[in-house]
Amino acid sequence: MSAQAARPTIGSIRRLSAALDAVVALDARIEPLADGFVWSEGPVWVRDGGYLVFSDVPANTMYRWSEADGASVFLKPSGYDGPPTKAFREPGSNGLALDASGALLVCDHGNRAISRVDLKTRQKTILLDRYQGKKFSSPNDLAVVQTGAMAGAIYFTDPPYGLEGMNDSPLKEMAFNGVYLRRPDGSVVVVDDKLTFPNGLALTPDEKRLYVAVSDPDGPVIMAYDLGDDGLPVKRQLFFDAMALHKAGGAGLPDGMCLDTGGRLYATGPGGVLVITPAGQLIGVIDAGRPVANCAFGEDGHTLFLTADDILARVRLKTTGLI
């Protein structure tokens, strides 16, 4: 994978409100860092070591990127590691997050599980792969609760994207595509079983609201769930409707997302990364010139990394992101 010393810039930043001036400098540019991927996804910044880990889901490979070393293979296979099969359309790892111990939590499409990887040994173990005795389809994205009584809890989505045939796959055991919560005691409960294609998700800075992206071309939306003390929703509402952007020809659908310390949502969707205020106002779009699957803050907290189709890119922001 290429990493250039003097990199060009790509795409553009569209300002839809003066409120974006507090987020992105007028001279900010999107900088490609590495290319040649099939479909890059799931970036997470590892503070202890100063590097980014991300997935190439169809290629069944996890990559490591740093300023000093560029991109290199970190784990292959990152997901399915059995004999050759046509059962999976995307056999690799997808969304990634760190737990309190610093280990890597992996949405493992190929093993239809949430896995845990020791970053030093790269040893992988299955954390959970079933709900009420039925195998998950292909866990896609996850968010870890950091504070309070629910610290260590994991929210995750389980659409069928990893399975060949998706909803029609003979391997699919779940009757719905769910959003789940794994509590600190290891028990698993359903957060929502009514979404068509739940995808990316993220917690607000106070961890009292959960956002979930729905990557359905017939209903591309972001849902918001206000959470009770038990981690389950007390209120469910439409937060942002991306249908107008989709109909206008914006590449991509609601997918991965992250937040800054001010509660602004950086949500990948039609046209790039949609910058949305806590009130649901779209104030700008970070357009990489191709569909953006996911994004994450890293480095000193002012860098937003983008996994965009075949590339990894970054843009410097004024705001400080949640890492």
Side-chain angles (χ1 to χ4, degrees):
M1 301 301 154
S2 65
Q4 301 164 303
R7 302 183 184 99
T9 59
I10 58 171
S12 62
I13 297 171
R14 300 203 302 275
R15 295 173 183 271
L16 306 178
S17 165
L20 193 71
D21 294 345
V23 176
V24 190
L26 291 173
D27 61 351
R29 298 291 182 268
I30 305 167
E31 179 185 25
L33 304 174
D35 59 29
F37 310 109
V38 181
W39 181 251
S40 59
E41 252 283 12
V44 64
W45 182 255
V46 181
R47 288 179 184 269
D48 184 13
Y51 61 91
L52 189 81
V53 180
F54 63 100
S55 303
D56 187 339
V57 195
N60 202 1
T61 306
M62 193 182 299
Y63 287 92
R64 178 189 190 276
W65 178 90
S66 70
E67 187 70 60
D69 302 323
S72 59
V73 172
F74 181 78
L75 188 67
K76 185 178 178 65
S78 62
Y80 180 73
D81 57 359
T85 177
K86 294 182 179 179
F88 301 108
R89 64 187 289 272
E90 294 181 340
S93 61
N94 197 323
L96 308 173
L98 298 177
D99 67 14
S101 73
L104 186 67
L105 297 176
V106 179
C107 285
D108 189 332
H109 272 200
N111 287 302
R112 301 166 66 186
I114 302 293
S115 299
R116 189 174 185 270
V117 173
D118 185 305
L119 286 170
K120 293 184 172 58
T121 65
R122 306 186 192 187
Q123 198 71 28
K124 183 167 73 170
T125 56
I126 301 296
L127 189 62
L128 70 156
D129 64 356
R130 297 172 192 273
Y131 174 70
Q132 296 185 343
K134 295 183 178 181
K135 284 275 289 184
F136 294 120
S137 298
S138 49
N140 188 279
D141 202 5
L142 73 171
V144 181
V145 180
Q146 302 294 327
T147 60
M150 293 294 292
I154 304 168
Y155 290 94
F156 63 98
T157 56
D158 185 44
Y161 288 123
L163 300 176
E164 187 62 45
M166 298 198 292
N167 281 331
D168 297 325
S169 169
L171 295 181
K172 193 176 190 301
E173 298 182 21
M174 293 293 181
F176 57 89
N177 298 322
V179 182
Y180 296 89
L181 168 65
R182 181 186 188 266
R183 289 176 166 142
D185 64 5
S187 61
V188 179
V189 292
V190 174
V191 174
D192 196 337
D193 60 2
K194 300 295 191 296
L195 303 178
T196 51
F197 291 100
N199 199 319
L201 78 180
L203 287 163
T204 53
D206 62 7
E207 299 185 324
K208 293 182 178 179
R209 170 172 278 196
L210 176 72
Y211 293 114
V212 178
V214 180
S215 52
D216 185 341
D218 295 323
V221 299
I222 299 171
M223 301 299 296
Y225 302 80
D226 294 335
L227 305 173
D229 292 340
D230 62 356
L232 292 176
V234 296
K235 183 180 179 182
R236 174 188 190 272
Q237 63 185 336
L238 174 67
F239 177 72
F240 184 81
D241 189 339
M243 180 58 85
L245 297 173
H246 177 57
K247 286 184 174 179
L253 290 165
D255 203 327
M257 59 184 86
C258 61
L259 290 101
D260 65 24
T261 55
R264 299 177 192 86
L265 186 65
Y266 299 78
T268 64
V273 178
L274 314 179
V275 184
I276 307 172
T277 69
Q281 180 191 3
L282 177 64
I283 60 174
V285 179
I286 300 170
D287 181 357
R290 51 186 33 88
V292 182
N294 213 331
C295 56
F297 283 96
E299 297 183 324
D300 61 356
H302 297 292
T303 297
L304 184 68
F305 288 97
L306 316 177
T307 47
D309 197 352
D310 60 329
I311 69 168
L312 172 70
R314 70 181 171 191
V315 59
R316 292 286 290 174
L317 302 182
K318 293 180 177 181
T319 53
T320 302
L322 297 179
I323 300 177

